[in-house]
Amino acid sequence: MRNWATSTKLWATLGLMWVGMLVLVGWTAYDKREGLLNERIASLEHFVGSARDMVASLASRAERGELTQAEAQARAIESLANLSFGEDGYIFAFDSDIRIVAHPRRALGDSMRDFQDKSGLYLYRELKAMADRNPQTGGFVGYMSQRSQAGSEEVPKMSYVQRVPGWNWDLAAGVYMDDINAAFWVSLIELGLLLLGIGILLTLAMGWIIRDVLRSLGGEPHHAQEVVRRIANGDLTQALTLKAGDQSSLLAGIESMRQRLVSSLVNVHGGTERINAGVDQIVMGNQDLSARTEQQAASIEETAASMEQLTQTVSQNAENANVANQLALEARQTAHQGGEMMANVVATMQGIAQSAGRVKDIIEVIDSIAFQTSILALNASVEAARAGEQGRGFAVVAGEVRTLASRSAEASREIRTLIESSHQQVGQGAELVERTGSTIREVVTAVTRVTDLMEEIASASGEQRIGIEQVNTAVGQMDQVTQQNAALVERAADEAATLRQQVESLVKEVMWFRIEAPQQGVAAAPAWQSALVHDPRPQAEIA
């Protein structure tokens, strides 16, 4: 039966219900038959007992002398003849010699010792023997007998016999059993029809329930039980076999749960892998951060010391800036004075340049005079030549004059050359003086700017000293904060190590499930999937 399908089990259950109802109907009909039989027997016992009491009463009266025995027996026989039981029931009596004492169908005194029923039973002998065995309570004897309306047909009949004390009469009455059996069969048929109607309705209802149950289950429960057992053991690789389009049955829900578990475990394991890698990086980062924080703390301590020195240096720089500012003011005044003196030099050089120009004009006049004198000397020589001997002395004088004129012209040319050279040099000197003046003016402007900058530097140095003092205070506070951060980093490193242990424990829990069946000839799976599929632990340990 364990290998039976669920539908077979359910229909077998319906069959057992049919069998049970049939048994119930049979038992009910049989119980009804037994009830009728017991009712008949009880009525028969009451009827025979009443007749026995009546006869015993007459016998008692005869013993007391109220009636003679013959009279009492006659009354008893008459009373018994008037008694009836049901439609065809009657009472009869026979004595100890098994002779009829009272019987509606037989003559008085007939011997019934050899009377047999169809089956060969000596009825009256059996009745007497039953009365002999139970003289107080009597007993029952079953036999075959003919109905008065049924001709020669014999039917089962049961008689109850009881002895009358004093006279040794045995009183008996019987009931036919065929009407009880007929009532049994009628009741059985009625109950069978009722059972058929109820059974058909019950079968239809059970058929609908079985169909709905099978549709709700979606398949065999032992298949779902096996899959759930594998899931409970951590094996999520086996999928359930579902009917086409089945999305609402129990097996479909289990398969959906399995797929959701697989998806969740894949995501969880991937997340744990990433968390594990992140925790490793956090641990390494915390270690590096701890080392760097310690280095930073040391650096900040050195920075604090350097800031103190820098504060002193800035203070000295501020004082030096004030001194430089004073010197710059003095340099600006000196530069202004130099500028004024350079302006005078420029004016003097311009006057020299103008004088050189005038000398050049004078030289030109001298040169013109020398040229004219040379022409005059040449004319005088010509005239002296014309005069002959009278003009020879004059010619000598004219030659000397011409020689002087030539020398004057040469000297004039040399002076011109020198003057032009001096003029050029004076012009160049004037240009240089002009440039120098411009430079001096630029120097004055630069010195003025430098002076302004030195004033700003002095002011900034003062502010910088104040700022450096504040920075020095902040560095001290930063040193304290850095020390606290170093302690926090160490605590974070410890917490990260604890988190790593928790992640490793979570990974072990997730690796308890197998979510992919091992396949040959397939590309290598990721490491974590391989770990899930090929768990090195034995299956008993995994479960």
Side-chain angles (χ1 to χ4, degrees):
M1 292 180 63
R2 291 183 179 180
N3 298 326
W4 286 7
T6 303
S7 59
T8 304
K9 292 180 180 179
L10 292 174
W11 288 114
T13 303
L14 180 62
L16 291 176
M17 292 177 62
W18 270 99
V19 172
M21 288 189 294
L22 290 174
V23 171
L24 179 63
V25 167
W27 180 82
T28 302
Y30 179 78
D31 184 68
K32 185 175 182 180
R33 179 180 179 277
E34 290 296 320
L36 292 174
L37 180 61
N38 292 331
E39 183 181 355
R40 292 286 181 88
I41 290 173
S43 299
L44 186 61
E45 288 180 346
H46 179 70
F47 178 67
V48 174
S50 298
R52 175 181 174 279
D53 292 340
M54 181 192 68
V55 175
S57 175
L58 292 172
S60 297
R61 292 179 65 185
E63 290 179 355
R64 289 193 302 270
E66 296 178 3
L67 296 173
T68 62
Q69 185 175 359
E71 185 178 3
Q73 290 180 350
R75 289 185 178 183
I77 292 171
E78 184 180 1
S79 298
L80 291 175
N82 294 326
L83 295 177
S84 63
F85 179 69
E87 295 181 359
D88 53 0
Y90 55 89
I91 191 168
F92 61 93
F94 58 91
D95 57 15
S96 58
D97 295 330
I98 314 179
R99 293 181 180 275
I100 297 298
V101 175
H103 198 294
R105 298 179 184 178
R106 297 188 184 276
L108 299 179
D110 288 346
S111 177
M112 303 300 294
R113 180 176 293 276
D114 297 329
F115 178 81
Q116 292 178 316
D117 65 356
K118 189 176 180 180
S119 63
L121 176 69
Y122 290 96
L123 174 61
Y124 285 88
R125 293 181 185 181
E126 291 295 329
L127 291 174
K128 185 176 184 305
M130 181 63 68
D132 291 337
R133 288 194 298 270
N134 302 292
Q136 299 298 326
T137 60
F140 291 93
V141 176
Y143 59 97
M144 301 296 292
S145 177
Q146 294 180 352
R147 281 184 178 272
S148 59
Q149 299 88 358
S152 61
E153 182 181 0
E154 291 187 350
V155 296
K157 189 174 183 180
M158 181 173 290
S159 292
Y160 177 69
V161 61
Q162 197 171 17
R163 180 160 294 174
V164 178
W167 291 351
N168 289 327
W169 284 8
D170 292 327
L171 301 180
V175 291
Y176 293 99
M177 303 300 293
D178 58 340
D179 57 348
I180 295 177
N181 293 331
F184 166 74
W185 287 109
V186 170
S187 175
L188 184 63
I189 292 172
E190 291 176 352
L191 291 174
L193 293 175
L194 179 62
L195 170 66
L196 182 62
I198 295 175
I200 291 174
L201 295 177
L202 184 61
T203 300
L204 293 176
M206 284 296 296
W208 180 82
I209 292 173
I210 291 172
R211 180 180 178 185
D212 184 69
V213 167
L214 293 177
R215 184 171 60 250
S216 299
L217 291 176
E220 294 300 326
H222 68 84
H223 179 49
Q225 180 183 4
E226 180 66 21
V227 172
V228 171
R229 184 185 63 80
R230 287 197 297 266
I231 292 175
N233 292 330
D235 184 6
L236 301 176
T237 60
Q238 301 294 329
L240 278 78
T241 303
L242 301 177
K243 296 180 180 179
D246 185 7
Q247 296 180 353
S248 59
S249 66
L250 174 62
L251 295 184
I254 295 175
E255 176 61 17
S256 177
M257 177 191 71
R258 186 193 68 83
Q259 295 176 357
R260 181 61 181 171
L261 282 175
V262 170
S263 176
S264 298
L265 287 172
V266 169
N267 294 332
V268 168
H269 196 277
T272 54
E273 289 290 333
R274 291 190 293 271
I275 291 172
N276 198 10
V279 168
D280 290 338
Q281 294 179 358
I282 289 172
V283 171
M284 294 177 62
N286 283 332
Q287 293 175 353
D288 294 340
L289 181 59
S290 179
R292 287 196 299 269
T293 302
E294 292 177 357
Q295 294 176 358
Q296 185 180 6
S299 299
I300 287 178
E301 290 179 357
E302 295 177 356
T303 303
S306 299
M307 287 302 297
E308 291 179 358
Q309 296 178 358
L310 182 59
T311 301
Q312 297 176 358
T313 302
V314 169
S315 298
Q316 294 177 358
N317 288 338
E319 294 176 357
N320 293 331
N322 291 328
V323 175
N325 188 24
Q326 296 296 328
L327 295 175
L329 292 175
E330 295 177 357
R332 182 172 63 181
Q333 293 176 0
T334 304
H336 281 294
Q337 293 175 359
E340 293 176 355
M341 294 175 67
M342 198 63 200
N344 295 329
V345 172
V346 171
T348 304
M349 288 301 295
Q350 289 177 353
I352 293 171
Q354 292 176 0
S355 298
R358 292 179 62 189
V359 169
K360 182 179 180 182
D361 295 336
I362 294 170
I363 291 301
E364 289 179 353
V365 173
I366 294 172
D367 188 29
S368 175
I369 293 171
F371 179 72
Q372 290 177 0
T373 302
S374 179
I375 291 174
L376 289 175
L378 180 60
N379 290 330
S381 296
V382 171
E383 290 296 330
R386 287 178 181 178
E389 288 296 334
Q390 291 84 5
R392 183 177 295 177
F394 185 74
V396 172
V397 173
E400 291 294 332
V401 172
R402 188 172 57 183
T403 301
L404 290 173
S406 297
R407 291 176 66 185
S408 297
E410 290 177 1
S412 176
R413 284 194 298 272
E414 291 176 1
I415 292 171
R416 179 186 294 176
T417 301
L418 291 175
I419 291 299
E420 288 178 355
S421 177
S422 297
H423 186 270
Q424 291 177 356
Q425 291 177 357
V426 169
Q428 293 175 356
E431 291 178 359
L432 290 174
V433 168
E434 183 68 26
R435 293 178 182 176
T436 302
S438 300
T439 303
I440 291 296
R441 287 192 296 272
E442 293 177 356
V443 169
V444 172
T445 303
V447 168
T448 303
R449 293 178 59 189
V450 168
T451 303
D452 296 336
L453 290 176
M454 288 305 295
E455 291 178 352
E456 294 177 358
I457 289 172
S459 176
S461 295
E463 295 177 355
Q464 186 178 11
R465 180 176 60 187
I466 296 172
I468 288 296
E469 291 177 353
Q470 294 177 353
V471 169
N472 192 16
T473 303
V475 167
Q477 295 176 354
M478 188 184 299
D479 186 16
Q480 296 178 356
V481 173
T482 302
Q483 296 295 335
Q484 294 176 357
N485 288 340
L488 291 177
V489 166
E490 291 179 357
R491 291 178 57 187
D494 295 337
E495 293 297 331
T498 303
L499 178 60
R500 183 176 183 179
Q501 294 177 356
Q502 295 296 326
V503 170
E504 290 177 354
S505 176
L506 179 60
V507 169
K508 290 180 181 179
E509 291 295 329
V510 173
M511 288 174 64
W512 182 64
F513 292 94
R514 291 187 293 117
I515 59 176
E516 268 194 19
Q519 298 179 357
Q520 296 180 354
V522 182
W528 65 268
Q529 290 184 358
S530 300
L532 291 177
V533 176
H534 306 288
D535 197 326
R537 296 178 295 171
Q539 187 66 27
E541 182 181 353
I542 295 177

